[in-house]
Every structure is written in structure tokens, then in C-alpha cells.
Amino acid sequence: MGTIETVNLPLLGSREGDEALFQYLLQEVETQRVCIAIPPWVMSREVLRRGDRVSFHVCFQGGDRRFTKGVVTAARWSDEIRSWYYETVPVTGEEPGRRPPLTVRISSSGLEIDLDRAEGAEEPVQRILADTVLIKRGMLIHLNHLVPYFSRIGDYPREEFPSLREHFLEDIKGRMEANIRRLEEIRDLVTKRCCRWEDIPSLLDLEELRSLMESEIYPELFRLTFANPEVMDYIAALKRQERYLFDNYNAVVMLYALSL
């Protein structure tokens, strides 16, 4: 079991409904309340409002309660920490259909991560990176299958679809393929470099990793381009897969924080 007293590294969160992605800092974590901050210096920012339902993309456990989401109950600017500060009430329950990459237990001494099965520092990180590559590859396969389908159901002028495919759809696929290649390189680096926990920061660039795991697919562009509910249903399915990437990223951040 590894214990983190504080996590001063940005995690990825998302708002349900529009899938807006943001980075946040954990401030307080309790079974009845989670407080987060969104400072102006993070790359991905979002203004949250009371009533917004957000995903922390971390599976917290306090006693017999497990939760990954919360509802914003208070929002204010804090001059003390120079950030937007949000209080949330946890929503009990996990994301269905998938075991979280890590469970973070809430204790009086901090946040505890169960590492009993890990053989070395690289093992859990390698496992999470390998899973990330598989998720991205699966999304790319689905996107490849959907491109010709879009030409039939997308309500887009047939004579203009080749140009759309080249400049819009192929661009998305190209960026996804490049991100997968780089993720594979990072996975292989961690696999080959057996290391101590304190060596993890020298192997991983969290900012690069975030950019590789963030979305290449922007639903609003598809909505404006195709204006077809069936297309948006398929995009929504891909976006659901993306949530697992954010879970994985935050798991790596937790392990990174543990190594500091």
C-alpha cells in the first residue's frame, strides 16, 4: 500500500452532458465531500456551475462507499490559491462495465493506493499504458469502419464527401495514429527500463502523456458537419471509450505522485 499525503499534480476531469474536459487539482477528499481547484495556468480549463455533474476519473473509496463522480454544490474564485474553487458532493457508484485501473482509498493519513500486486515500480505503469494503447487502437478500428458508413448516412453531398474525408476524417485518423505510435514508444520505454519508484519521473512527461490521451474527436464539429442523429450516436459511443483513457491518465498521475 502506498500513501500520498497530497496530490499537487493536475488530474483530468470531465463534465457530463457536453463531455467538456478540464484539468483540476485535488484540494480535499472526504467520503461526503470532494473539493477541487481549476487554476488559470492549466492547459485545459472549464468554468463549472452549481448542479454540474462531473467525473473525477478516479475511483475513490471511503469505508464501503465507492465513487468516481460528484455534483458541484458551490463555486467561487479563491484569491488565496488564485484558482476557481469547487465543492462537490460525491455520487456513489462506479462506471459500469469496467474495473478501474486503480482504487484510491480515503484515510486519515492521506490517499492510499493498493500496490500489493505490483512486482516493481514499472509494472502498474506498464499495465496502464498497455491498456491505453489497446483502447486507442480499438477507437481507431471503429473510426476506420465508420468512415464509409458516414458517406451513406451523413446527409453530406456525395460529390463533396471525398474532400471532407481527406481534410477532416483522415486528419482525425492521422492524429490518432501518431498518438498511438508515441504511446507505444512510451510503453516500450517503461517496459525495458526496470526502475525504482523514484525513477518514474525521469521516464514520463505527464504533459506529453496528457496530450496523447486527450481527445482527437470533437463532437460539435461532427454535429455541424453531418447534422445526423445516427452519426452522433456513433460519436457518443467513441466518446464513452475515451473516458477510460482519462481514468488511465489519472492513475498514472497518482503513481507519479507516489514516486515523488
Side-chain angles (χ1 to χ4, degrees), residues 150-179:
F150 287 161
S151 68
R152 297 195 300 273
I153 71 168
D155 295 335
Y156 206 81
R158 185 177 297 274
E159 65 276 8
E160 297 180 22
F161 188 79
S163 177
L164 172 74
R165 176 171 179 161
E166 178 182 355
H167 297 294
F168 178 53
L169 299 173
E170 294 298 333
D171 178 66
I172 293 172
K173 289 167 53 181
R175 284 186 284 119
M176 189 176 290
E177 289 167 350
N179 288 343

Side-chain angles (χ1 to χ4, degrees), residues 26-182:
L26 278 176
Q27 300 297 296
E28 297 179 49
V29 184
E30 304 170 0
T31 55
Q32 303 297 328
R33 186 179 72 150
V34 175
C35 298
I36 64 173
I38 301 181
W41 49 263
V42 295
M43 293 296 293
S44 297
R45 297 183 296 276
E46 192 67 33
V47 176
L48 304 178
R49 294 174 173 80
R50 289 183 62 183
D52 282 351
R53 185 180 172 109
V54 298
S55 175
F56 306 117
H57 293 290
V58 177
C59 181
F60 293 108
Q61 179 170 344
D64 59 355
R65 295 193 73 199
R66 291 166 70 93
F67 59 89
T68 62
K69 304 177 188 296
V71 175
V72 177
T73 56
R76 62 180 173 85
W77 171 261
S78 171
D79 286 327
E80 182 181 354
I81 60 174
R82 303 296 300 168
S83 299
W84 279 98
Y85 187 87
Y86 301 97
E87 296 183 22
T88 74
V89 173
V91 177
T92 303
E94 301 174 52
E95 193 76 24
R98 184 180 191 254
R99 181 179 179 181
L102 286 178
T103 296
V104 179
R105 294 178 174 83
I106 304 167
S107 72
S108 57
S109 57
L111 301 175
E112 298 179 347
I113 300 174
D114 187 359
L115 296 170
D116 291 343
R117 295 192 308 108
E119 298 176 1
E122 79 287 353
E123 193 273 334
V125 177
Q126 175 189 335
R127 171 170 46 84
I128 292 166
L129 289 174
D131 182 58
T132 297
V133 170
L134 288 176
I135 294 170
K136 281 272 192 184
R137 281 179 179 167
M139 292 178 62
L140 181 60
I141 290 171
H142 280 96
L143 191 60
N144 280 327
H145 289 164
L146 289 175
V147 168
Y149 186 57
F150 287 161
S151 68
R152 297 195 300 273
I153 71 168
D155 295 335
Y156 206 81
R158 185 177 297 274
E159 65 276 8
E160 297 180 22
F161 188 79
S163 177
L164 172 74
R165 176 171 179 161
E166 178 182 355
H167 297 294
F168 178 53
L169 299 173
E170 294 298 333
D171 178 66
I172 293 172
K173 289 167 53 181
R175 284 186 284 119
M176 189 176 290
E177 289 167 350
N179 288 343
I180 290 172
R181 287 194 296 271
R182 180 56 184 149

Side-chain angles (χ1 to χ4, degrees), residues 159-212:
E159 65 276 8
E160 297 180 22
F161 188 79
S163 177
L164 172 74
R165 176 171 179 161
E166 178 182 355
H167 297 294
F168 178 53
L169 299 173
E170 294 298 333
D171 178 66
I172 293 172
K173 289 167 53 181
R175 284 186 284 119
M176 189 176 290
E177 289 167 350
N179 288 343
I180 290 172
R181 287 194 296 271
R182 180 56 184 149
L183 284 167
E184 289 173 333
E185 292 173 356
I186 297 171
R187 177 205 59 194
D188 293 344
L189 175 65
V190 173
T191 301
K192 294 173 182 176
R193 289 274 301 276
C194 183
C195 55
R196 301 167 297 172
W197 277 107
E198 54 265 34
D199 295 329
I200 289 290
S202 68
L203 293 178
L204 297 176
D205 180 335
L206 291 182
E207 190 59 24
E208 179 189 21
L209 199 61
R210 177 193 61 79
S211 68
L212 296 172

